[in-house]
Amino acid sequence: MATVEKVRRAYNAMKSLGISEENVKPVLKRLLKLYNKNWQLIEEDNYRTLADAIFEYEDDKNAEGEMEPALKKQQRGNGEDKVLSKDKGKRVVCEEELDDPDSRDNGNAVVPWEGQPIDHSSQAHSSHICTGSVNPSRDEATVVAKSEPKMVFNTIEDITKGSEKVKISLVDETGNEDLPHFLYFRDNVTYEAAYVHVSLARIADEDCCSDCRGDCLSPSIPCECAGSTGGEYAYTKEGLLTQDFLKTCLSAESLDMKHAVYCKDCPLERAKNADLPGKCKGHISKKFIKECWRKCGCDMRCGNRVVQRGITRKLQVFVTSENKGWGVRALEELPQGAFVCEYVGEILTNMELYDRNTQSGADKERHAYPVLLDADWSTEENLKDEEALCLDATKCGNVARFINHRCADANLIDIPVQVETPDRHYYHVAFFTRRKVEALEELTWDYGIDFSDTGHPIKAFRCRCGSKFCRDIKRRR
């Protein structure tokens, strides 16, 4: 349905309640801004969200004598409040008018990110009307509820600070979470000792398609870059994973450790005890994707360049309702096989990771769960410490650092993708949808955690994934 028609229906619904178009317009603009033009949240319950927001807008305007209302959306079923307040001297809504409802929305949040933690107090009860007030020296909006202690609602317009092609907003609808401390990086960056050698000289002619032009997916015969995927491309012309390739990856992921491959000299065990390393506990071998790169003759619009083009889907960081802290959700429906994002962080050696997490464990520092780049370790006879790598997004990373774990039936799958290096010591960890994902559904992936491994440098957390396949046996008892 066209946006103009949706606006007209919203006006008509409010007209039946005796609310004029003039009163609907400013509130509808703000809700569209807040929910990134997701009409589902506005239309549900016969536009109850819109009606509640209008009534509160009018109540606040009459009570305060000025137009500084707070928009509140009560999430039916879990009792959570969603409140948006306005910073003095700053407009919450964009300058676009609903007369041009198809104009592009550049984000759904209004508070710039300073990355500073703030004190949170108890959440306002849903029956109270809230009015907004802020400390002008702070970017965080403080919402004061009548007859209740203050609550803090944080909204960040773009956590990427312009580094991604699309804005990724952050919302705290509970007031119970501190803002995360980290640097947003679009690309992986070597911390210190990791060996990542990127050079054109290392890419042989058989590892690139220098004779290709335009889009490699157009000719009937796949180019050299399709060699890693059995001579067929992993992507469709629509930029999705092919059904066959996704099925192969899902089948490999479902294999248990009985089908694992083992290192003769495991880097993980060496990191624990270099003098007397233990036996390798096994690694799951994964199917790789090889994308075209700079030495190839095709252009950036080539269908075999998906991950390297970056994030294109609308994502949002939010506070989950299951006590899992921050999470990530899609603000649009995602088809099966869609690329969502890659896991970005500092490139560490496993020895650096072991030392870092041993120290952070002593300091009780909260960290993101790291990713081992071990998809091809079993093919290496003697993997050096500087070649046994992992990614850690604790201090530096992208939106993927907020994606929560879910045992077995997560909606994302991580796939290794080669881009700029011919070897597989270093690669990109890309997330694709395992199935169709609905708008506002939380995105999750299986970290591959062995909850029984008490010797791992990163201690397994108490799993709250809620899956009937949860591997955290202690929690299920």
Side-chain angles (χ1 to χ4, degrees), residues 9 30 56 64 68 75 77 131 160 189 196 251 254 280 288 327 414:
R9 289 193 176 191
R30 296 188 184 193
E56 291 176 18
E64 302 296 334
E68 288 192 14
Q75 215 175 26
T131 57
T160 80
V189 177
V196 180
S251 298
S254 64
C280 176
F288 276 74
D414 58 298

Side-chain angles (χ1 to χ4, degrees), residues 39 57 72 133 138 161 185 225 235 263 266-267 285-286 290 293 317 319 332 403 444:
W39 281 91
Y57 180 94
K72 179 172 68 176
S133 63
R138 302 290 296 274
K161 299 183 179 180
F185 279 9
C225 295
Y235 303 126
C263 307
C266 184
S285 182
K286 296 183 178 181
K290 172 66 174 69
W293 195 51
V317 179
V319 178
E332 60 179 300
I403 300 178
T444 57

Side-chain angles (χ1 to χ4, degrees), residues 135-349:
N135 181 341
S137 65
R138 302 290 296 274
D139 284 316
E140 293 80 26
T142 304
V143 181
V144 182
K146 297 176 181 179
S147 305
E148 291 285 344
K150 72 174 183 178
M151 67 167 286
V152 179
F153 179 87
N154 294 313
T155 310
I156 297 171
E157 182 177 11
D158 184 16
I159 64 171
T160 80
K161 299 183 179 180
S163 60
E164 301 284 4
K165 294 180 180 178
V166 294
K167 292 184 177 182
I168 300 177
S169 57
L170 177 147
V171 292
D172 176 3
E173 300 156 332
T174 67
N176 297 323
E177 287 290 328
D178 289 336
L179 287 174
H181 279 281
F182 78 110
L183 294 175
Y184 193 97
F185 279 9
R186 185 182 183 276
D187 303 298
N188 296 318
V189 177
T190 301
Y191 170 64
E192 184 175 357
Y195 180 75
V196 180
H197 188 187
V198 178
S199 70
L200 293 177
R202 297 186 67 223
I203 301 177
D205 291 340
E206 60 269 20
D207 293 324
C208 67
C209 56
S210 56
D211 294 331
C212 287
R213 297 293 180 269
D215 184 1
C216 291
L217 270 61
S218 296
S220 58
I221 301 177
C223 69
E224 292 84 348
C225 295
S228 295
T229 48
E232 297 292 337
Y233 292 114
Y235 303 126
T236 67
K237 292 184 178 180
E238 292 73 33
L240 307 176
L241 291 178
T242 64
Q243 289 291 322
D244 289 343
F245 184 79
L246 179 58
K247 183 179 179 179
T248 300
C249 293
L250 293 177
S251 298
E253 188 185 55
S254 64
L255 296 176
D256 56 28
M257 293 308 292
K258 293 179 181 178
H259 299 85
V261 292
Y262 296 85
C263 307
K264 293 181 179 179
D265 182 17
C266 184
L268 288 182
E269 299 303 321
R270 281 207 311 265
K272 298 177 187 178
N273 189 336
D275 296 328
L276 190 62
K279 292 183 178 180
C280 176
K281 295 183 179 180
H283 310 276
I284 298 297
S285 182
K286 296 183 178 181
K287 193 78 171 177
F288 276 74
I289 295 176
K290 172 66 174 69
E291 289 196 351
C292 300
W293 195 51
R294 294 178 187 175
K295 202 171 180 179
C296 297
C298 54
D299 57 39
M300 279 302 295
R301 293 170 293 181
C302 172
N304 197 38
R305 296 174 183 260
V306 173
V307 174
Q308 62 192 273
R309 286 202 293 262
I311 299 172
T312 60
R313 304 291 179 173
K314 293 181 179 179
L315 308 175
Q316 185 178 70
V317 179
F318 74 110
V319 178
T320 65
S321 59
E322 298 86 4
N323 297 319
K324 296 184 296 185
W326 296 103
V328 179
R329 60 189 173 194
L331 295 180
E332 60 179 300
E333 182 182 286
L334 304 178
Q336 184 184 44
F339 170 63
V340 176
C341 64
E342 67 171 292
Y343 186 103
V344 170
E346 293 178 275
I347 308 172
L348 306 178
T349 66

